[in-house]
């Protein structure tokens, strides 16, 4: 059956992704307009109709139109000219052009001028439904990505740290207090949580932000190099020391030295560091002269230093000296509601670098929300950067993600035995709904739009969840 012959009675709406979307139908044939309107309304679109280009321009001025179904054969202004005018009025509108039989060339030209897709007459109800469902899905994903980008541009955290979970808000308050102190700070957190970023936020949010910030990776240098890097050396101190070199603790005068993975320092170097912090002076390697220093120490580790102290691998007195102020960065699995913000932040950065915008599909987002991220933020960044580099199209599907992540939605460990069990769809749905509402600070209407469900459906589900609690 062609669309022109469709009955005006359409079944009850089953597809809700088009809710809140406005569709403008432009066609000079009333039967086609009415039939298209019935199909679009059955999918949840709010529809407007116009029988000419001039009528359409007035509607575009009066309403916020998201999508347009445009017949290329219109009386008066031609369809291609109407397309140009529509795109000038509504740059973001998705335009689908309707062509007559055998005029595909005009559709190709229309797509070069900004049309999203085309359909040729005569077409069936099912063909139109599939096309409009694809338009609704495309608009929903664009809206979701745009909203996430706007949230990234607005207050999203502290300094360059991304996150708005309650655990992160608590962390920001501690950072703000630490920034205005001169005492050492011990930063605790798993690998990949962003310990150096927190250290930088403490330094650059404080009164000495114009002074040097010098990071030192204690885990990647051999002990002799760490000593000479921190304390400096004099000419002839060892083979190859053809000239004297100042240590980082002296170079950072008035600023901050960040000792990353301080738990990896050898015990003899721990004693020298303790003396330098206590006495505020250092002795370069090979020298008998002591040099006064004025520097703040920030240290970080992913090790349990209390346990290392009990085992004799870390000096107790140095631990207490570094632990004047301490803070813990929560792992990503404890703040899943920040994952969409982090994704938007990384993809925005990728778009600026490559000039190609990528969009994450719903299933890919759900998979990333369900994954535990043992490597934390660093793993998430590496995952997205790699996926963006190797995905050819604009849409990132769950199958484009690394296998361990893409399989997370349907499988999880059972009883710690290495076997897997199926996660009920209802549980997956509940987790996604509650996570989205939390990420949007309780805005249920916005959550319904992002999730592609009606607000009535959302409130009913929330009522069911409350009854189950």
């Amino acid at each position: 059956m062609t669309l022109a012959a469709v009955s005006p009675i359409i079944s009850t709406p089953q597809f809700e992704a088009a809710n809140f979307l406005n569709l403008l139908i432009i066609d000079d044939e009333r039967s086609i307009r009415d039939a298209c309107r019935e199909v679009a309304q059955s999918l949840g679109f709010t529809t407007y109709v116009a029988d000419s280009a001039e009528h359409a321009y007035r509607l575009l001025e009066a309403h916020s139109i998201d999508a347009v179904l445009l017949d290329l054969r219109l009386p008066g202004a031609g369809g291609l000219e109407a397309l140009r005018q529509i795109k000038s009025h509504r740059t973001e509108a998705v335009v689908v052009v309707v062509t007559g039989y055998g005029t595909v060339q005009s559709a190709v030209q229309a797509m070069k001028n900004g049309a999203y897709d085309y359909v040729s007459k005569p077409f069936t109800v099912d063909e139109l439904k599939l096309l409009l469902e694809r338009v609704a899905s495309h608009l929903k994903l664009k809206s979701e990505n745009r909203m996430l980008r706007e949230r990234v541009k607005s207050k999203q955290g502290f300094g360059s740290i991304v996150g708005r979970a309650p655990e992160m808000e608590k962390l920001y308050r501690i950072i703000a207090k630490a920034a205005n102190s001169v005492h050492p700070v011990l930063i605790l957190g798993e690998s990949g949580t962003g310990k150096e970023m927190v250290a930088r936020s403490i330094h650059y949010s404080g009164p000495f932000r114009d002074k040097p910030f010098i990071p030192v990776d204690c885990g990647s240098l051999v002990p002799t190099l760490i000593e000479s890097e921190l304390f400096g050396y004099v000419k002839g101190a060892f083979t190859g020391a053809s000239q004297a070199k100042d240590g980082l603790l002296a170079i950072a005068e008035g600023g901050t030295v960040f000792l990353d993975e301080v738990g990896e320092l050898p015990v003899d170097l721990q004693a020298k560091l303790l003396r330098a912090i206590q006495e505020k002076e250092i002795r370069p390697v090979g020298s008998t002269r002591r040099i006064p220093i004025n520097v703040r120490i920030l240290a970080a580790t992913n090790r349990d230093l209390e346990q290392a102290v009990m085992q004799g691998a870390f000096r107790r007195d140095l631990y207490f000296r570094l632990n004047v102020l301490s803070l813990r960065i929560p792992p990503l699995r404890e703040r899943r509601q920040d994952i969409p913000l982090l994704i938007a932040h990384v993809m925005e950065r990728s778009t600026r670098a490559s000039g190609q915008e990528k969009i994450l599909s719903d299933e890919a987002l759900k998979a990333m929300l369900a994954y535990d991220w043992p490597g934390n933020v660093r793993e998430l960044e590496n995952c997205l950067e790699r996926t963006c580099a190797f995905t050819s199209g604009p849409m990132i599907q769950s199958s484009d993600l690394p296998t361990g992540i893409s399989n997370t939605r349907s499988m999880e460990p059972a009883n710690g035995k290495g076997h897997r069990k199926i996660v009920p769809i209802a549980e997956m749905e509940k987790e996604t709904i509650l996570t989205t509402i939390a990420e949007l600070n309780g805005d249920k209407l916005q959550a319904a739009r992002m999730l592609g469900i009606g607000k009535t459906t959302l409130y009913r589900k929330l009522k069911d969840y409350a009854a189950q609690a």
Side-chain angles (χ1 to χ4, degrees), residues 43-61:
L43 299 178
F45 283 96
T46 299
T47 57
Y48 302 88
V49 294
D51 57 4
S52 66
E54 290 72 19
H55 186 190
Y57 301 154
R58 292 195 298 273
L59 290 173
L60 285 166
E61 289 292 340

Side-chain angles (χ1 to χ4, degrees), residues 142-211:
K142 281 185 65 176
S143 173
E144 182 175 326
N145 277 268
R146 183 169 59 251
M147 289 166 65
L148 289 173
R149 285 197 299 269
E150 289 303 316
R151 291 177 67 82
V152 168
K153 291 175 184 176
S154 63
K155 184 183 182 300
Q156 59 185 9
F158 191 104
S160 56
I161 306 171
V162 177
R164 300 189 68 177
E167 297 87 348
M168 296 302 289
E169 296 290 349
K170 179 180 178 182
L171 177 66
Y172 302 149
R173 290 193 293 272
I174 299 173
I175 291 175
K177 292 179 180 178
N180 293 305
S181 167
V182 295
H183 298 297
V185 179
L186 182 60
I187 304 168
L188 306 173
E190 296 178 5
S191 179
T193 50
K195 295 186 287 294
E196 181 174 338
M197 188 172 291
V198 167
R200 289 182 181 275
S201 294
I202 292 173
H203 172 77
Y204 289 107
S205 301
F208 309 111
R209 63 178 65 88
D210 57 336
K211 300 295 184 180

